[in-house]
Structure formats: structure tokens, C-alpha cells
Amino acid sequence: MNTTQLNGKKRQAAALLALITLISIEFVAHRMLPFIMDDLWYSTNLATDEPLRNLKDILESQVWHYLNWGGRSMTHGALQLTLMGGELFADITNVIMMCLLTFMICILTEGKTLRDFLLVHSLLFALNANIKMSVLWQAGGVNYVYSSVWILVFLWPYIRQLKNPAEKRLYFVDAWILPFGILAGWSNENMGPTSALLAIGITAYLAVYKKKKPESWMITGSLLSLIGSILVVIAPGNFLRSSVIKQPGFYERFLSMLTAGVDYLLPCALAVIVILIAKAMEENDSKIKANAPKVFSLSAFHVILLLGILLSYGAMALSPHYPDRATFGTGVFCIIFFVQVLRESDNGNEENGNLTTALTVCFYVCAMLRLIAEITGKG
Amino acid sequence: MKMIKEKYKTIFTPIYLLLLLTFITVSLYGIHSMQTAEGVGLYFHLNYSFDKSTMDVLTDVCAGLSMIVFLVLPALAFRHKSLQGIFHFGCLFYAFMPRLSMAYLIHPAEAKWDHVAQNWKLGLQAIIPMSLIFLYIIAKKEKAFKKCYAFLFLACLLLALLLLPFPYLQQLVDFTGTYCLLCVLFDLYERASQLLENSLLLNFILFGGLILRVIYQLIIFTSIY
């Protein structure tokens, strides 16, 4: 075994240890927060106010919920399932779903090492606007973390095709795209329509610019997610609820969007812009070497991600209120963009690898401190 | 490209000046409201029998001058002596710096300190990662790391350690620590931007975003007092 291999193994071991520590702290943070607020209400059959007992109760609740409160039937159905399982079950599921979300981001960005996994997992906590309400709180976790998982699973085959139109289709994609299309579209008011529009956009881009005839799963997936997102928006409960809430004026709406953009999403937005500057520099250098004209270029995948960020943020202009936890989905797109561009510039280059490692350490420390702050009640 | 850059400088110089003056004016107004609300002049009047109005004016002048010195100092110290340099640091300053209460400055030992430190989060989320990326950009072309960066980072660490025996110094540590980190970020950014010939648009987006953040911070600051 030579020195490089040994160093590689040491690095892997360090990343594994760091990851185990982070996930353990995450689990403790979940254990420290019992079911609170909406969790308690959703633990009951919403139609009868009796505690949840079986799937029939959940179904009844969701029908009542759709007609009287809001359109997120799929997400809240999943929430009630986890609530029915009890706190320990919910905490374990939450940690698994966070890991799944990290895994999906790694798949989309083609990150294959433990360091990549650690970086993404740390970023999900470090850049999060409100860890307590979007990850640790059961209702928040299901609404944002779980829904992000199925949105990314839904977008995965589309993005594979976008990156390489000649890529073989995924196994049984015709079958599993149906539930995931519905789940993604019917997730929440900003991420549902965004995922539907992205799927439609990718299908259209491939058909028009790459002359690739859309496959059946692409059309059914796009259609189902579109139907899902229409269903989440047109739920009678949404209108019933908004009729009793005072609608904000222009200034309140402007301030709410400004707060979300430059406060809650600030670290994510800065990460995206600064990594773009680094990319411009990198391209500049390689074009100078090749005597090529200096034009900054973005791939279709980059553009789709940027569109995802803008659409999911912009969609909230229609909402009367933009809470910090609702920026989670937009943050996930920012993280994918950041990691993708960082990984592209990595390319086995020692210097760039050092940058990735330095950033991983920085975000890891931030994630750990924030989780510890949540555990000690100082978050 | 050089022509575009020159044109860009000519067009944007008055805009930089106007924005910078607006930020300074609004924050001076905020400082005045804060110190009046916290009763700094009144404190000196009651405890040392100074004239309240004179002390109010003196506090405003001292705070305003200190703020301007803090704004201009990094541009002078790191030799980025241009309006653009001062404007860039101004954006970073108003976007990231925590608020330093006037009453706290008079009586730090009586301050409340619920948390160990407040601004570390923003430092680790944004300021340090941005600095690392700019450091990496510069390292491709020239020697990137300066001794003064190490000194400033060490200062941050020592300040953080100071919180262990004196936790009530939290606000001051937050302020000074963030300022040190911002100085490093500013110098790195200015050096990196000189290497980036075709990044006018990206710079525009970056500082456009920071200007929006400054507007938000100033709205919050002025609405509190």
C-alpha cells in the first residue's frame, strides 16, 4: 500500500467518523423535540377529533383536510402515517429521510465519495434557514424534507436524460414515475408546480433542441405532476382558509419576499453566486490556454437548476406569508447547484479537491454547532 | 473589455456615491434613534450632570465618525483606495455587521447574554466559505494567503476565547469578530475581482443582492427604534 492510498483511506475514515457523529447528533436533536403544535392536531382524525387508529382515519382526515383546510393531502397523509407510528418511529424515519435526501442530491450531482455525502449532508443543516421548523419538527420535516425526497426522485430520470440524452432509461421508470409524479406535484404550493414545470421544461428542451422524441414516461410523469400541482392549488380548503385570513398589501408582500430572499436564503444565494464567479474564472483560464473566445457558458442542467431556484422562490409571491421554513425546497435546489458546480471544477485536481475539503470542514462545523444549539435550546 | 470596464466605472461611480451616502445617512438616523431610545444622553445627564442635548449630539457625532472610520479603514489598509472599494466594503459592512447597542457600550457588564455568540452562524454559513472560494480563485494566479489574514483569524479566535471568562462581552466580540472576517473577505474579493475580466454581470448580481440585503437590514434597524 503506497502513501497516497493510505492517505485516501485515512480521509475516508475521517469522513465516515464525521458523518456518523453528525447523524448521531441529528438523531439526538430529533429525540429532544417531541410532537408539538400541528403534530398534535394531525395525530387525530381531523373529521371526528378522535385519535388516529388506522388508515381509514387518515383517509377520512385527508378528505376533510382537502375540503376545509388545505391541499397538501399527500404530504399530510404521510405526516399522519409517521405520527401514528409514535415519536421514536418518526425520529428514525426522519433521519433516514434526511440521508435519502442527501443520497438523491449526490446521485443528481454524481458525487460518489463519502466526502461528497458529508458535504451535502452538512450543507442541508448549515444553510438551512430554520432547522427546528423545517427538519426537526415532525410536520415541518414531512412537508419539506420528505417532499424534497420524492421531488428529486421524480426529477432524477429527467435530469439523467438532460445530462445525456443517449442515457438508457431507468428500470421500471414507466411504473414508478406515476406515483412519484403525483407525489411531487401534490407536495406543496411552491415546490409542486416548480417540479411539474421543470419536468415539462426538460421534456420540451429535449424534444426541441436535442430532437429526442419524448418517451412515454416523460409525458405521463409531467402530466401527473401537473395534475398534482393543480390539485394542491385548487383545494377548496385553501380558499376557505384564505377567506378568513387578512390578505397582505403590496408592502407586506414585498417585505415578506425581500426577507425570504436576502435573509432566509442569503447563505444559499451567496453560495450560488460565488461558485458561479469561481466557475467563470475557471473557464476564463482554460479558454486563455486554448486561445478560445472568453464566453461564460452554463449547461442545460445549470439553467434548469437556476430556473428551479427562481420558480420556487417566485411562486411564493402568491402566498400571503413566506415563513423561513418554506425556503427549504429552494435551498435544496441551491445546494444541488452549488455542489454540482463545485464537483465539476473538482475533476481530480488537487487544488480544487482542497477547496472542496475546506468547504466541507467549514459547513460541517456550522452544521454541528447549529444542531448542538438546537439540542441545548439556543438555536 | 477594457472599454466596457472604463464605461462601467464612469456610469457607476455616481451611483456608488449616491448609494453609499444613502446607507450612511439612513444608518446615522438609525444610530440617533437608537441612542435616544436607549437614553445615552440622559444617562450622562443623570450620572455626571452633563447637558443632555449636548451629550446626545456628542454621542451621535462619535458613533457616526466611528462608523465612517470602520467603513473606510479596510479600503485604506488593504490599498483598495477607490470609491468602488469603499462601496464594496460598505455593502459587506451593512449587509453582515451585527448591531452594536449604545447602552451596551456604556455598560457591557450589565448586558444580557442568552447565547454564547450570535453572528458565528453567518460567519460559517457565508463569510468564511466565500473567503475560501476567493482564496482558491486567487491561488491559481498568485500567492493568495497574506500574513494579516492569519492575524485577523487569530484575533477572531482569541476574541471567541475571551467569551469564556467574560460572556457579557458577546456583542463586542460578535462585532469585532465579524469585522475581522469581513476585512479578509473584502481584500480577497477585491484581489479576485481584478483577475476576473469577464465577470461584470456576476459582480453586478453579487452586489445587487448585497444591496438588497442592506436595504432589508436598514428597514429592520430603523423600524426597531
Side-chain angles (χ1 to χ4, degrees):
Chain A
M1 195 182 283
N2 60 33
T3 328
T4 325
Q5 275 176 325
L6 197 69
N7 281 341
K9 285 214 164 179
K10 273 185 190 168
R11 255 182 245 161
Q12 290 282 323
L16 184 66
L17 189 69
L19 191 62
I20 291 171
T21 320
L22 182 60
I23 292 174
S24 310
I25 295 281
E26 183 188 338
F27 182 67
V28 175
H30 273 295
R31 294 300 299 148
M32 296 297 284
L33 192 73
F35 291 154
I36 49 165
M37 295 160 26
D38 288 11
D39 298 342
L40 304 175
W41 185 48
Y42 284 106
S43 299
T44 61
N45 180 331
L46 305 180
T48 62
D49 283 342
E50 295 291 320
L52 287 174
R53 280 174 309 227
N54 47 39
L55 287 177
K56 190 175 155 271
D57 281 345
I58 295 180
L59 207 68
E60 250 178 48
S61 298
Q62 287 315 311
V63 172
W64 183 92
H65 189 270
Y66 192 77
L67 296 173
N68 298 287
W69 196 253
R72 299 182 190 176
S73 311
M74 295 292 160
T75 331
H76 286 139
L79 169 63
Q80 291 196 304
L81 269 177
T82 58
L83 290 170
M84 220 163 58
E87 283 188 354
L88 181 64
F89 169 78
D91 291 340
I92 294 170
T93 319
N94 291 343
V95 174
I96 292 172
M97 289 306 270
M98 260 319 252
C99 290
L100 262 178
L101 180 60
T102 310
F103 182 66
M104 280 315 300
I105 296 175
C106 286
I107 285 184
L108 294 180
T109 54
E110 293 165 49
K112 289 172 185 127
T113 62
L114 260 178
R115 186 190 60 181
D116 296 328
F117 194 91
L118 181 65
L119 171 66
V120 174
H121 206 69
S122 305
L123 278 167
L124 285 171
F125 288 106
L127 302 189
N128 193 320
N130 188 338
I131 293 179
K132 185 180 176 186
M133 300 312 280
S134 67
V135 179
L136 303 179
W137 180 38
Q138 190 57 27
V142 178
N143 267 294
Y144 303 108
V145 180
Y146 291 31
S147 65
S148 296
V149 173
W150 50 66
I151 285 170
L152 294 189
V153 173
F154 166 67
L155 288 175
W156 175 32
Y158 289 91
I159 288 170
R160 251 169 71 96
Q161 292 289 316
L162 183 71
K163 281 183 169 175
N164 179 12
E167 191 84 63
K168 271 187 181 174
R169 58 163 55 192
L170 288 162
Y171 291 116
F172 311 115
V173 66
D174 284 302
W176 62 255
I177 203 77
L178 307 177
F180 278 102
I182 278 282
L183 274 172
W186 208 336
S187 52
N188 58 49
E189 291 80 2
N190 68 329
M191 294 309 290
T194 301
S195 56
L197 287 174
L198 290 186
I200 294 167
I202 294 172
T203 312
Y205 168 80
L206 289 171
V208 175
Y209 291 98
K210 297 287 169 185
K211 307 289 176 210
K212 184 182 162 67
K213 197 181 160 214
E215 292 184 41
S216 55
W217 64 264
M218 289 178 123
I219 298 170
T220 46
S222 305
L223 268 177
L224 283 172
S225 62
L226 188 65
I227 291 168
S229 52
I230 292 171
L231 286 171
V232 80
V233 175
I234 63 158
N238 285 335
F239 300 103
L240 207 65
R241 198 153 60 138
S242 64
S243 66
V244 291
I245 295 172
K246 187 182 166 261
Q247 290 302 309
F250 173 78
Y251 178 72
E252 283 97 339
R253 225 175 260 267
F254 166 77
L255 194 61
S256 167
M257 290 300 286
L258 184 71
T259 309
V262 299
D263 194 23
Y264 309 151
L265 282 169
L266 180 80
C268 292
L270 286 176
V272 167
I273 297 169
V274 176
I275 204 70
L276 265 176
I277 293 179
K279 181 181 159 59
M281 180 72 189
E282 189 109 349
E283 284 192 5
N284 217 353
D285 277 357
S286 56
K287 278 172 181 159
I288 287 170
K289 277 177 198 162
N291 277 331
K294 291 180 224 160
V295 182
F296 179 59
S297 61
L298 289 171
S299 72
F301 181 40
H302 296 141
V303 175
I304 281 292
L305 287 173
L306 289 174
L307 274 177
I309 294 168
L310 291 176
L311 280 172
S312 56
Y313 170 72
M316 288 305 285
L318 302 171
S319 164
H321 177 47
Y322 199 159
D324 50 7
R325 59 179 182 270
T327 56
F328 187 85
T330 311
V332 166
F333 278 127
C334 291
I335 289 172
I336 299 175
F337 186 90
F338 177 75
V339 175
Q340 173 70 24
V341 177
L342 188 66
R343 206 198 53 73
E344 279 168 14
S345 69
D346 205 336
N347 265 341
N349 181 328
E350 186 68 24
E351 263 180 33
N352 301 6
N354 289 342
L355 173 69
T356 311
T357 307
L359 287 172
T360 308
V361 171
C362 178
F363 288 124
Y364 174 76
V365 172
C366 186
M368 286 291 281
L369 290 175
R370 289 194 70 189
L371 279 170
I372 291 169
E374 290 297 339
I375 292 170
T376 52
K378 288 178 178 172
Chain B
M1 187 55 76
K2 256 190 178 173
M3 266 182 64
I4 297 173
K5 259 197 162 176
E6 287 306 314
K7 224 175 188 180
Y8 166 83
K9 270 187 185 167
T10 331
I11 296 169
F12 281 89
T13 304
I15 298 176
Y16 288 153
L17 194 63
L18 198 69
L19 280 171
L20 203 56
L21 286 175
T22 312
F23 295 161
I24 292 172
T25 314
V26 176
S27 49
L28 283 177
Y29 168 74
I31 287 173
H32 171 74
S33 308
M34 174 166 71
Q35 69 100 346
T36 320
E38 290 179 348
V40 177
L42 190 67
Y43 170 84
F44 284 110
H45 173 69
L46 294 175
N47 286 282
Y48 305 101
S49 307
F50 290 130
D51 178 50
K52 185 189 169 293
S53 315
T54 318
M55 287 318 292
D56 277 342
V57 174
L58 263 177
T59 316
D60 283 349
V61 170
C62 287
L65 280 178
S66 315
M67 186 184 72
I68 291 166
V69 169
F70 276 126
L71 264 179
V72 180
L73 197 63
L76 298 178
F78 290 108
R79 294 173 200 281
H80 303 296
K81 297 172 192 165
S82 65
L83 183 65
Q84 190 180 329
I86 297 171
F87 173 72
H88 285 165
F89 187 74
C91 285
L92 292 172
F93 182 86
Y94 288 116
F96 291 109
M97 286 300 282
R99 197 171 51 242
L100 193 58
S101 154
M102 292 282 167
Y104 168 82
L105 278 178
I106 299 169
H107 258 307
E110 285 175 16
K112 280 184 182 171
W113 36 279
D114 297 338
H115 304 272
V116 177
Q118 302 269 359
N119 233 36
W120 61 266
K121 200 167 82 179
L122 208 50
L124 284 167
Q125 283 177 322
I127 304 174
I128 295 176
M130 279 164 80
S131 303
L132 286 172
I133 294 172
F134 288 130
L135 196 71
Y136 152 77
I137 291 175
I138 301 165
K140 297 206 142 197
K141 298 273 182 182
E142 58 191 53
K143 192 171 171 281
F145 199 80
K146 286 182 180 176
K147 275 182 193 165
C148 62
Y149 297 165
F151 171 75
L152 287 167
F153 278 124
L154 196 69
C156 286
L157 200 70
L158 288 175
L159 282 167
L161 289 176
L162 204 65
L163 281 181
L164 294 175
F166 309 107
Y168 53 81
L169 289 180
Q170 178 206 302
Q171 274 199 41
L172 206 60
V173 169
D174 266 349
F175 188 89
T176 337
T178 311
Y179 189 73
C180 290
L181 290 179
L182 283 183
C183 286
V184 175
L185 175 62
F186 165 69
D187 185 47
L188 284 168
Y189 171 76
E190 288 298 311
R191 289 169 67 201
S193 68
Q194 283 164 10
L195 303 171
L196 287 164
E197 285 178 26
N198 62 347
S199 63
L200 285 181
L201 180 67
L202 290 172
N203 284 333
F204 192 69
I205 295 171
L206 177 63
F207 279 93
L210 285 178
I211 289 168
L212 285 176
R213 162 87 178 171
V214 174
I215 293 171
Y216 166 77
Q217 292 278 72
L218 291 177
I219 289 175
I220 299 296
F221 182 39
T222 46
S223 64
I224 290 175
Y225 300 100

